[in-house]
Amino acid sequence: MRSQYDVIIIGAGVVGCMVARWLSRYTLRILLVEKTSDVCTGATAANSALVHAGYHAVPGTLKAEMNIKANPMWDRLSEDLQFGFVRSGAYIVAVGEDERPSLDMFLDRAQKNGTPAQIISGREMHKREPCITPEVTSALFVPAGGICDPWGATIAAAENAVMNGVELRLDTEFQEFLWSDEEVKHIVGIKTNRGRFHSRWVINAAGLFADEVMHKAGVRPEFTITPRRGEYFVLDRSRIQVQNVLFPVPTPISKGILVTPTLHGNTLIGPNAENVEDKIDVDVTPEGMDEIWDGGKKLVPSLDRRDIIAVFAGLRPAGNAPCQNPDVHYNHDFIIEIPEHVKGFVNLGGMDSPALTAAPAIAEKVVELLREAGEALAPKADWDSIRPARPVFRNLSHGEQAALVAEDPRYGRVICRCEYVTEGEIVAEIHAPIPATTYDALKRRTWLGTGRCLGAFDMPRVINILARELGKDPLEITKKGDGSELLFRRTKEVP
């Protein structure tokens, strides 16, 4: 196993995986390290799943630049990597006459950022979304907004990177930088819990922990990341389906509590925005649940708590980096840089919203920075931009389903009844380019366990399939890696 690379990327969230995918087109030896048991487990794993149009980002900031540049990239990206994306458009809804003037500010911001937008009447908004509150007075429509599958996008980017030669090491936690003995402030690799790895470049894509990584490099000691918790409700798609992405008028720190459809047909409500201290605190709270429910009801009064099938919370890595444009007073911008006083280090920080949207543009910017730093980026002759998706049984026609079952009978055995996921799909993901080896990894790839029963029916069957395919005892199967084993003993072993 080699330990010398050209580039090491710390963190396999959406930014790290997009950077890995973008760099994989060049003749570089690349290592992507992730401290958890799968890609897409940090901030990328729990968010609103939206591709933002760019009306919210403050003009002149890196956030605005990356958002606007990345938004049109998602059509081609989703085609090449074959993950779910719909350019649905989005609405900011003004409720009552008091909120109407705020739409003008966001219309002006959208125009300055170069994204099309228009204000429509409350009557027109009601035509487009019948379940909207009757108190709507007007709305700002931004057609460039979209809905994506953030799990699918991140996993697909990582798979495409691996298919093109990137080495992925999971359960590998960054600990320290390795420094040159011959040159001051020159990073030459990293030390991890699984050994030392040398490289000419190290890229910090550590998300919520990016501040701690850059501080170990001696960069930006004043920069800190504040975890900003956002809680969500997921509603049963058989009970309610809103048709449009509905934002309220944003607050100074948040885009507000939205009501939006997902690619899987569910309605999503959230998030709120609460600054917390713990970078792994994703608990939901009664107060938070009440806050987002009230926020959702403001836009869609017919929401019914009996339709809730799941709750979850995610953390956004909110940073305090000032905008580099001296004319813009903004202190929560992205950091995308090669620091002047540290050699061999690319620093990415403050990747809260719209980082999911901006990820492909951030990856392209990293390529530009490396090229400007003198890195010889020779394209690979055999680089393949296409990542073939595996069959999703519920999306096939009856004829296609029958043909697939005839070829592999495991596609005829439904394991998750709520989401109609078959054994064939589960086995395919276990043996994919990035194998799914835990229950949650399968959930992110197939959507099993996300329906009304929340896995009550499928989990025992999935554990047996994982054990069989991985050659493990069922007691060794975990929810999300070591320490999260799902079973503690066999029932018949009870005295």
Side-chain angles (χ1 to χ4, degrees):
M1 188 69 71
R2 67 188 180 199
S3 63
Q4 181 64 53
Y5 300 88
D6 296 309
V7 178
I8 294 174
I9 303 165
I10 302 171
V14 66
V15 172
C17 290
M18 288 292 177
V19 170
R21 194 251 182 181
W22 246 255
L23 289 176
S24 72
R25 70 183 66 197
Y26 304 103
T27 55
L28 297 169
R29 291 164 298 176
I30 301 169
L31 173 64
L32 173 61
V33 298
E34 166 57 44
K35 67 181 180 181
T36 65
S37 63
D38 194 15
V39 302
C40 189
T41 59
T44 308
N47 53 67
S48 302
L50 299 179
V51 172
H52 293 292
Y55 67 85
H56 190 267
V58 176
T61 63
L62 258 180
K63 282 187 175 179
E65 178 186 344
M66 294 296 107
N67 190 155
I68 295 301
K69 184 176 180 182
N71 178 284
M73 299 168 75
W74 278 79
D75 300 276
R76 175 66 184 274
L77 192 66
S78 64
E79 290 177 10
D80 284 353
L81 300 183
Q82 300 183 15
F83 62 84
F85 169 67
V86 174
R87 195 166 289 284
S88 58
Y91 295 85
I92 302 178
V93 178
V95 178
E97 292 298 334
D98 292 347
E99 291 187 349
R100 171 63 181 81
S102 297
L103 298 185
D104 293 328
M105 181 188 75
F106 287 103
L107 175 62
D108 178 66
R109 189 176 287 184
Q111 291 171 340
K112 287 179 178 175
N113 284 337
T115 187
Q118 68 174 119
I119 293 177
I120 62 173
S121 68
R123 186 174 181 179
E124 177 63 22
M125 183 70 246
H126 200 270
K127 284 182 182 176
R128 299 186 187 189
E129 183 58 67
C131 67
I132 197 73
T133 175
E135 297 182 30
V136 58
T137 52
S138 53
L140 180 70
F141 176 55
V142 279
I147 307 169
C148 74
D149 175 357
W151 296 350
T154 305
I155 292 165
E159 282 192 357
N160 190 238
V162 168
M163 291 165 56
N164 283 294
V166 172
E167 182 180 334
L168 170 65
R169 281 177 169 260
L170 301 172
D171 297 310
T172 303
E173 183 172 12
F174 164 82
Q175 294 177 333
E176 300 285 350
F177 287 104
L178 303 179
W179 298 91
S180 170
D181 294 330
E182 301 171 354
E183 189 175 0
V184 176
K185 292 289 184 182
H186 182 184
I187 290 173
V188 294
I190 61 172
K191 177 185 175 185
T192 74
N193 62 324
R194 294 184 179 269
R196 296 168 179 257
F197 304 97
H198 294 81
S199 66
R200 292 185 293 108
W201 291 97
V202 176
I203 298 175
N204 174 17
L208 284 158
F209 300 88
D211 53 347
E212 298 171 33
V213 172
M214 71 178 76
H215 294 168
K216 288 186 176 182
V219 173
R220 292 184 181 257
E222 78 289 351
F223 177 76
T224 59
I225 286 177
T226 301
R228 183 168 294 160
R229 181 170 57 194
E231 298 160 276
Y232 293 87
F233 284 116
V234 182
L235 304 189
D236 190 337
R237 63 171 175 264
S238 67
R239 301 282 298 171
I240 181 172
Q241 291 187 13
V242 298
Q243 304 300 313
N244 297 286
V245 180
L246 306 171
F247 284 95
V249 172
T251 71
I253 65 168
S254 167
K255 297 179 181 69
I257 297 167
L258 68 147
V259 181
T260 177
T262 70
L263 287 181
H264 299 88
N266 301 99
T267 294
L268 189 69
I269 306 171
N272 53 355
E274 180 188 7
N275 291 340
V276 296
E277 295 183 359
D278 190 343
K279 292 185 176 180
I280 58 172
D281 181 2
V282 290
D283 291 339
V284 297
T285 65
E287 297 79 11
M289 295 288 93
D290 287 342
E291 180 185 0
I292 60 173
W293 189 254
D294 290 344
K297 292 275 284 186
K298 178 181 177 183
L299 297 177
V300 181
S302 60
L303 293 175
D304 188 332
R305 282 185 183 267
R306 291 174 296 181
D307 299 336
I308 298 169
I309 61 171
V311 298
F312 68 92
L315 296 172
R316 290 97 93 183
N320 62 345
C323 177
Q324 294 184 333
N325 184 340
D327 297 327
V328 179
H329 300 290
Y330 182 71
N331 293 310
H332 303 288
D333 210 355
F334 289 158
I335 296 171
I336 308 171
E337 65 181 6
I338 294 178
E340 291 183 3
H341 63 288
V342 177
K343 189 175 180 181
F345 185 54
V346 179
N347 193 29
L348 309 177
M351 295 294 161
D352 61 346
S353 182
L356 171 62
T357 304
I362 293 169
E364 201 163 85
K365 182 69 174 178
V366 169
V367 173
E368 293 174 9
L369 289 174
L370 290 174
R371 186 174 281 120
E372 290 169 4
E375 184 67 28
L377 298 176
K380 287 178 182 171
D382 58 349
W383 185 74
D384 188 351
S385 66
I386 305 300
R387 170 265 186 185
R390 291 168 286 281
V392 179
F393 195 75
R394 61 181 172 274
N395 294 341
L396 302 178
S397 68
H398 291 315
E400 292 169 329
Q401 289 178 342
L404 193 57
V405 172
E407 181 181 333
D408 185 343
R410 292 174 296 188
Y411 282 95
R413 289 191 282 273
V414 176
I415 302 300
C416 173
R417 291 182 177 178
C418 297
E419 297 300 320
Y420 212 55
V421 179
T422 67
E423 181 178 355
E425 293 167 84
I426 293 169
V427 172
E429 295 300 338
I430 294 172
H431 299 291
I434 299 177
T437 59
T438 68
Y439 183 85
D440 280 0
L442 285 170
K443 184 177 179 179
R444 283 187 283 273
R445 289 160 174 80
T446 68
W447 214 242
L448 64 80
T450 62
R452 173 66 84 164
C453 87
L454 296 178
F457 179 82
D458 70 67
M459 187 175 289
R461 292 160 179 79
V462 173
I463 289 173
N464 282 330
I465 294 170
L466 276 166
R468 182 190 73 206
E469 296 297 321
L470 298 175
K472 291 185 174 182
D473 189 287
L475 298 182
E476 298 178 279
I477 301 304
T478 68
K479 184 176 188 299
K480 54 181 180 180
D482 289 345
S484 63
E485 286 74 16
L486 292 161
L487 304 175
F488 295 96
R489 56 167 169 70
R490 298 175 189 278
T491 302
K492 292 186 178 180
E493 291 176 351
V494 177

